[in-house]
Amino acid sequence: MAVDELDTRILRLLLEQPRTSVREYARILGVARGTVQARVDRLERDGVITGTGPFLSPAALGHPVLAFVHIEVTQGHLDEVGDALAAIPEIVEAFSITGGGDLLTRVVARDNGHLEDVIQQLIQIPGVVRTRTEMALRERVPHRLLPLVESIGRSSARGGQTGTPLAD
């Protein structure tokens, strides 16, 4: 889906000022409220905007330990293991991957002992062959999408050019 300059400006406002009204976004952008609402509706319909809820901090909720657990799964059991992962509250994300393992999960825990308990739960899931855990020490780049949105908007304004020179 093409995201033009106005879409980019709307997305920036949604990311930076998520509690502001559509009427206020329209005032800031200097366009009609109906235009902003129609754009937001289209962005939601096209799957660009996927949610509007608050972002929560697991650390502030008492789960400051963050780990990434790679899970190797017996062939043919990926769906069952994925369903079992969804039942564990400390698993905040899980992805099917290529490379070293079949699934990559993002796990939060109260402390290292709690993390070990969660990993022991994972090992007990039928179809899980082995796990490999990597602990996060410090967040270096927080989850963000605004730089990507702005890059796409700039590319769109230039007529689809990325601005990256091609190698000879």
Side-chain angles (χ1 to χ4, degrees):
M1 122 150 234
V3 175
D4 66 16
E5 183 183 349
L6 180 56
D7 292 334
T8 300
R9 292 171 58 208
I10 291 169
L11 291 169
R12 171 188 271 283
L13 284 173
L14 288 169
L15 289 168
E16 291 180 342
Q17 302 175 38
R19 292 179 174 231
T20 303
S21 69
V22 171
R23 182 182 309 273
E24 180 63 12
Y25 292 147
R27 187 194 65 73
I28 292 167
L29 295 168
V31 299
R33 188 203 61 76
T35 299
V36 174
Q37 187 64 61
R39 293 290 186 112
V40 168
D41 291 345
R42 180 180 50 81
L43 291 165
E44 288 175 345
R45 197 173 44 252
D46 291 346
V48 174
I49 298 173
T50 58
T52 58
F55 296 103
L56 306 178
S57 165
L61 292 170
H63 289 68
V65 175
L66 172 61
F68 299 93
V69 180
H70 297 259
I71 303 173
E72 188 177 320
V73 177
T74 305
Q75 279 190 322
H77 290 86
L78 199 55
D79 289 338
E80 293 89 351
V81 172
D83 291 343
L85 293 176
I88 301 172
E90 293 86 357
I91 306 289
V92 294
E93 289 182 296
F95 300 91
S96 299
I97 60 168
T98 63
D102 300 299
L103 293 165
L104 176 63
T105 63
R106 186 170 159 226
V107 180
V108 296
R110 292 184 303 273
D111 53 37
N112 290 351
H114 182 217
L115 176 60
E116 181 182 11
D117 294 341
V118 173
I119 293 167
Q120 290 301 318
Q121 273 187 274
L122 297 177
I123 293 169
Q124 299 304 315
I125 296 172
V128 171
V129 175
R130 72 178 48 86
T131 65
R132 186 182 88 239
T133 303
E134 298 166 352
M135 292 185 60
L137 300 176
R138 181 179 300 156
E139 183 177 65
R140 299 295 179 164
V141 178
H143 179 78
R144 67 205 180 122
L145 292 173
L146 186 55
L148 176 64
V149 168
E150 290 175 335
S151 172
I152 292 167
R154 284 191 303 271
S155 176
S156 174
R158 289 191 302 263
Q161 300 171 0
T162 63
T164 306
L166 297 174
D168 293 315

